[in-house]
Amino acid sequence: SDGVSNAVSKETLAQLLSRRASARSIVSAAAEITETRPELRDDLTAVVLDIAQRGWTASANQRPLEVLPTLKAGQSLDGFKLLRPLQEGARVWLAERPSDSASAPRLHVLKFPPLDARDDEARRDAFLRELWQAARLASPDFIRATIPAEGSLRYYVMEYVEAPTLRARLAQGALRVEEAVELARFLLRASQHLLSRDHAHGDLKPDNILVLDRDGKMRFLLLDLGSAAEVFSVTTRAGTPSYLAPERFQNAPLSERTEIFSIGVTLYETLVRAYPYGEIERFQTPRFDTTPKRPTRLNPAIPPWFESVLLRALAPDPTDRYQNFSEMAYDLEHPADVSPFYGKNTSLLDRDPVLFYKLLALVLFVGNLALLYILCRRR
């Protein structure tokens, strides 16, 4: 703490650390100095960390963040041969690298800094955070990424997985309910993994999900950490508008609740192939004062309990939404415990159709009595 660094000079600290002094010894040295200089007396705390191995950071931090203006098919970079761009803007490339054996070259995906990182410090910092975040994730729910130990530039390398995106899969038709439930479990599990590192994805949508079909069983992988950020750190509309929570349009920060809304939109779309609140354009400030069409009306195969899970995740008011990933995950595993969910604008017909028709019958009965009374008086 500054109580130690203000009292003990850099030279003395260097001598203490060269003798592998403990944190207690460093604090004691600071305490001795402050006995005669009470104006320096402050919080005296210290932690000593031994860095066993710096790994890729030792060399990567010395590389320039050079933004190549153009990348071309056939171009070679650090042993990788660029084959074709995989995204608009040509900053993500499919590449091959000769293998050590006589087998065919292995395919990889290379991601380079965006063009505007040349002049925008915020974009440079965002790419460096993305690079660091992608390389440290160790989860089967994410594409594995590495940073070359030796290379001329800063970029990262991902394994190439031959699989369609969920967006491409939806072009063939909606998911079955059991597949959507598995997708929900996957998204919550991946989001919890990011949250354990104080991060949120920030752009959950079908375009950023790969669909793997292994022996007839569907599993998923999450892509693109370009919008990932620490929770409560982003207060912009970064992400895809149609999947943003209502409060994100009012500069609310990225959080578990905003991510749960994005998960809800994704699941709703996979089951009915429509957006719950309609498609939202980039510069539009939408209103969320209408209730989404109940998914069971658009897809009768959806069970009522899962509809309640979806509608709670999609609640415009964040206080009505699931507050935590674990809360939503619990409901997925315990369908019998899921309570029906109705938004503030849900009609009585949707809330309680039996009561609605009872009241309607009562109104009609009273109306008929009134008509009968009028007719009798006229006679």
Side-chain angles (χ1 to χ4, degrees):
S1 64
D2 56 0
V4 170
S5 59
N6 288 339
V8 183
S9 67
K10 292 183 179 179
E11 292 76 14
T12 303
L13 276 175
Q15 291 175 4
L16 288 168
L17 291 172
S18 67
R19 300 198 299 266
R20 303 190 66 80
S22 65
R24 182 185 296 275
S25 298
I26 294 173
V27 169
S28 297
E32 290 179 7
I33 294 172
T34 57
E35 283 183 1
T36 57
R37 300 184 63 185
E39 72 276 8
L40 295 179
R41 184 162 295 167
D42 199 351
D43 176 39
L44 300 179
T45 57
V47 174
V48 177
L49 301 178
D50 284 329
I51 300 176
Q53 183 178 358
R54 292 186 63 190
W56 61 266
T57 58
S59 58
N61 286 336
Q62 300 171 4
R63 301 176 201 161
L65 184 65
E66 182 180 347
V67 181
L68 299 177
T70 56
L71 295 164
K72 299 179 181 179
Q75 183 177 346
S76 293
L77 180 69
D78 301 329
F80 293 100
K81 181 180 178 181
L82 303 184
L83 299 178
R84 57 181 172 86
L86 297 177
Q87 273 186 4
E88 186 178 351
R91 310 313 293 174
V92 180
W93 281 78
L94 179 65
E96 65 178 12
R97 193 173 197 178
S99 61
D100 297 332
S101 62
S103 59
R106 296 182 60 184
L107 295 175
H108 303 270
V109 176
L110 275 55
K111 185 164 187 179
F112 299 91
L115 287 174
D116 52 7
R118 287 181 295 182
D119 308 309
D120 189 334
E121 184 176 356
R123 291 289 287 168
R124 286 198 299 273
D125 291 343
F127 180 76
L128 290 176
R129 287 196 301 271
E130 176 187 350
L131 178 148
W132 175 74
Q133 183 69 28
R136 76 187 189 118
L137 282 177
S139 166
D141 294 323
F142 294 85
I143 292 286
R144 189 172 61 226
T146 57
I147 298 174
E150 296 182 2
S152 57
L153 301 172
R154 290 202 199 187
Y155 59 92
Y156 65 93
V157 182
M158 294 171 279
E159 61 176 331
Y160 175 70
V161 179
E162 184 68 51
T165 64
L166 181 56
R167 173 75 61 206
R169 168 62 182 78
L170 291 178
Q172 305 170 18
L175 296 187
R176 299 194 303 272
V177 171
E178 59 269 24
E179 293 170 339
V181 172
E182 183 56 38
L183 173 63
R185 293 192 183 106
F186 156 77
L187 288 171
L188 291 168
R189 189 171 60 243
S191 296
Q192 285 177 313
H193 185 78
L194 282 172
L195 186 66
S196 69
R197 287 151 175 75
D198 297 321
H199 273 66
H201 187 276
D203 198 17
L204 295 171
K205 59 181 180 180
D207 308 74
N208 289 333
I209 301 168
L210 287 183
V211 180
L212 286 74
D213 192 343
R214 297 291 184 265
D215 300 323
K217 186 177 180 180
M218 190 175 289
R219 60 177 294 260
F220 308 93
L221 288 172
L222 193 56
L223 302 172
D224 195 359
L225 294 172
S227 297
E230 292 182 352
V231 288
F232 304 115
S233 66
V234 172
T235 57
T236 66
R237 298 184 182 188
T240 305
S242 296
Y243 300 87
L244 293 185
E247 61 269 30
R248 292 287 304 279
F249 292 94
Q250 306 300 325
N251 298 323
L254 196 63
S255 67
E256 274 188 85
R257 295 191 300 189
T258 62
E259 292 288 273
I260 285 170
F261 185 90
S262 300
I263 291 173
V265 176
T266 300
L267 295 173
Y268 188 100
E269 184 183 6
T270 59
L271 286 166
V272 304
R273 295 207 293 174
Y275 297 112
Y277 296 97
E279 187 170 5
I280 301 171
E281 301 297 333
R282 180 163 296 278
F283 299 105
Q284 179 184 354
T285 299
R287 298 178 63 180
F288 294 86
D289 51 3
T290 59
T291 303
K293 290 183 179 179
R294 301 192 74 83
T296 50
R297 294 185 178 179
L298 301 172
N299 183 348
I302 301 172
W305 72 268
F306 195 42
E307 177 180 75
S308 293
V309 170
L310 294 179
L311 294 178
R312 186 180 297 277
L314 289 168
D317 187 339
T319 60
D320 293 336
R321 218 175 291 152
Y322 288 109
Q323 304 298 292
N324 309 102
F325 297 130
S326 57
E327 187 182 359
M328 185 174 175
Y330 178 89
D331 275 1
L332 288 175
E333 301 304 324
H334 302 84
D337 297 339
V338 177
S339 301
F341 178 81
Y342 303 105
K344 292 182 174 65
N345 298 322
T346 304
S347 67
L348 179 60
L349 176 61
D350 284 326
R351 287 176 179 271
D352 192 338
V354 174
L355 178 60
F356 173 83
Y357 286 114
K358 283 183 177 180
L359 291 174
L360 180 61
L362 179 61
V363 170
L364 292 174
F365 177 72
V366 172
N368 288 333
L369 286 179
L371 287 172
L372 182 61
Y373 174 75
I374 293 171
L375 289 174
C376 289
R377 289 200 60 178
R378 285 182 178 179
R379 290 180 181 179

